[in-house]
Amino acid sequence: MLKKGMTLLSGQKDAKWWPIVFTGSKADAETPGSIVWQLRPGLKGALERAADGGQRYWWLNANPKIWTFSLEKIGTTQSYTIRSESGHLRRIPQNFRDAKPGDKFIGYETSPTKQIVALGTIVAPPEPDTVGFRSDELLVNRIDYADIKADPDLANMEFFKNPNGSLFKLTKDEYETILDLVRDANPDGPKKEIMESYSRAKFLEDVFIEPTKYDSLVALLDDKLNVILQGAPGVGKTYSAKRLAWSILSKKDDSHITMVEFHQNYAYEDFVIGYRPQEDGGFKLTEGKFVKACRQAQSDPDEKYFFIIDEINRGNLSKIFGELLMAIEKDYRGQPIPLAYGDKSLVVPKNLYIIGMMNTADRSLAIIDYALRRRFSFVDMEPAFETQSFGDYLHRMNNPVLDRIVAVVKQLNVAISKDEALGAGFEIGHSYFCNGENAQPGWLKRVVDFDLKPTLDEYWFDNQSTAEEWKKKLSDAVAEDSNNA
């Protein structure tokens, strides 16, 4: 039936091609309409591929019970045969024949993972009746099945019609919709910046430790992969940890560093994985910072990454690490470890270095248990008053008051180290005095009155006479600076 005002392509009633009048489902023959062209899906797809140079798009399934994208190195070529292990043709075998080198794919891991985990490219097959593929990117933040299923633009995906299979077609629009989801969760971030370089020499200039100790620290980290810097407050543990990472990276690149701070309420669910409340109600299984750091390092295996844990002994370490006590050990790096939630597993890669900082002067903190201690090397961070680099700093400062205070603190540390109730782990650190080049007048008196004296009251809460003795010595040393306050 012809609509009113409709013309034929050729002007003849027996024409093979007809324009289609778009008027709505309830229009009758007298309703005027607009003429539009509609191509059958196969022809539409062919034209789109021609515009893209013949490129197609695919959804590639991996069964994590058999293999996972996560265990394959970026850039490694793998293949799927057109037949299963039992010799039967896989579902939709034509997809295997249609996939050509240069096509793009979305890498999805089936149950129990049920997440998009990788992006990649179809490559030349190693042999007939196979499809070759290469993972180009492992996702740090994976895309859940529920998020894909909820997107109306993906409702007609071939995968959703019957997900039992290995290789499914995607339209260009479907691929780009999924890519938008991926990039929202995994932004490319800032474009390649020219990072400020950072060397061993710069570290030794900034951090007052001897060169031989720095070399030992780097060697320990390379050998064990896990190191804890331990010492009293003020010895520069946190300051040193980040700069240690920079020095190994040879640049100030914070994108390769993840930092967390443990506390008494910090849990496995924060660190690894757990159910978290959602804004719209209900709970969602959410990966913690350590898992995301592992994904990031795993997706970039030729680079080094660092996970820094401040106040590591403030948390319940067995509760926080759980089964990862084994996974972080060097001999188990690179192997999948089942997690406590959702039948998921995690690989802790060998290029992720863990640096913890431990406060030795807090009596309220528990001693690290031997199971965790065995997985780490421990490095004592001591006051640097006797190092050459700190001596150079004092020389540059040329401040007699600072010189006198440092002399008193060095004597004070001898007394602290000899005290049976305290010991070397309670000595006063040098970082209290490292703000001199940017300090305001009176800063030394403020350090003495509001940092050091309260610390001594805490140390000798049961021996006030000793505390008062040392507080007076500090006051006498800083007396001349008070006139500048």
Side-chain angles (χ1 to χ4, degrees), residues 11 13 30 119 130 157 175 210 276 331 355 360 367 400 431:
K13 292 185 177 180
E30 298 301 316
L119 302 176
T130 63
M157 276 173 53
Y175 177 82
E210 297 295 347
R276 311 294 296 177
D331 292 342
I355 305 174
T360 57
I367 297 175
S431 66

Side-chain angles (χ1 to χ4, degrees), residues 211-398:
T212 54
K213 187 165 187 175
Y214 168 82
D215 294 337
S216 295
L217 184 53
V218 172
L220 275 174
L221 193 57
D222 189 56
D223 181 56
K224 198 73 172 277
L225 305 182
N226 310 312
V227 166
I228 287 179
L229 309 180
Q230 61 179 2
V235 295
K237 300 183 294 296
T238 305
Y239 182 86
S240 301
K242 193 170 188 178
R243 282 155 182 79
L244 175 63
W246 286 347
S247 71
I248 294 172
L249 293 168
S250 299
K251 56 187 176 181
K252 290 185 175 181
D253 189 355
D254 289 341
S255 68
H256 284 231
I257 301 171
T258 301
M259 293 191 70
V260 299
E261 182 177 343
F262 282 1
H263 50 78
Q264 292 178 344
N265 290 327
Y266 205 83
Y268 179 93
E269 289 75 13
D270 303 302
F271 189 61
V272 185
I273 191 170
Y275 286 97
R276 311 294 296 177
Q278 302 299 296
E279 290 183 2
D280 56 353
F283 292 81
K284 181 179 179 180
L285 191 60
T286 305
E287 294 175 344
K289 286 191 173 183
F290 185 72
V291 171
K292 292 180 179 180
C294 288
R295 305 266 192 241
Q296 184 183 21
Q298 195 175 7
S299 68
D300 193 9
D302 295 328
E303 291 287 331
K304 294 181 178 181
Y305 287 81
F306 297 85
F307 195 88
I308 300 177
I309 307 172
D310 202 6
E311 304 288 359
I312 190 170
N313 56 331
R314 283 191 175 276
N316 184 332
L317 299 182
S318 296
K319 179 181 177 182
I320 293 172
F321 277 89
E323 63 278 354
L324 295 188
L325 280 180
M326 180 173 68
I328 65 173
E329 194 170 346
K330 185 175 184 178
D331 292 342
Y332 291 96
R333 295 288 187 102
Q335 300 181 29
I337 301 295
L339 300 179
Y341 286 87
D343 295 324
K344 296 181 182 292
S345 62
L346 176 67
V347 173
V348 181
K350 294 182 178 180
N351 62 324
L352 181 65
Y353 299 85
I354 302 175
I355 305 174
M357 284 82 76
M358 188 172 79
N359 184 356
T360 57
D362 193 333
R363 295 182 175 93
S364 67
L365 302 183
I367 297 175
I368 284 188
D369 63 48
Y370 289 106
L372 187 65
R373 184 173 288 275
R374 186 169 65 83
R375 270 91 181 181
F376 284 84
S377 291
F378 288 74
V379 177
D380 288 326
M381 298 292 288
E382 301 157 340
F385 298 118
E386 302 295 342
T387 63
Q388 178 63 48
S389 52
F390 190 81
D392 294 340
Y393 165 74
L394 289 179
H395 181 73
R396 291 196 307 272
M397 290 299 298
N398 190 27

